[in-house]
Amino acid sequence: MSQGEFIAIVGACILFGPIMAIWPYESAKWTETIDSIGRKPAGRVEPAEWNVRLTRVAGIFLIFAGSVMLYFELIA
């Protein structure tokens, strides 16, 4: 993995992880809105509860993965 790719991956993890972990409802709603583009309008789009929980868990995982990758890169 090149240095540029590494910086992009760690940066994305550290940027989007906290957003997904702190505001999971808003993040899940945003992805549901993006997914509904092109469909027949049927009112407001709301994420399911399982999707909100999954978004929070994914955010926590991204924070952990980005931190671990950064830690091992700084040690090496």
Side-chain angles (χ1 to χ4, degrees):
M1 178 182 314
S2 71
Q3 188 68 20
E5 290 174 342
F6 178 79
I7 291 172
I9 291 170
V10 170
C13 288
I14 292 176
L15 175 68
F16 292 115
I19 292 171
M20 292 170 66
I22 295 171
W23 298 292
Y25 177 79
E26 289 81 4
S27 299
K29 187 172 181 176
W30 185 77
T31 58
E32 290 291 332
T33 302
I34 296 298
D35 286 344
S36 70
I37 292 176
R39 294 185 184 163
K40 185 176 180 180
R44 294 184 58 185
V45 177
E46 296 293 328
E49 185 62 34
W50 66 267
N51 195 353
V52 175
R53 288 187 190 128
L54 183 62
T55 302
R56 183 180 302 267
V57 169
I60 292 169
F61 175 76
L62 285 176
I63 294 169
F64 178 73
S67 300
V68 167
M69 288 191 314
L70 186 61
Y71 175 75
F72 283 116
E73 180 66 23
L74 292 176
I75 286 179

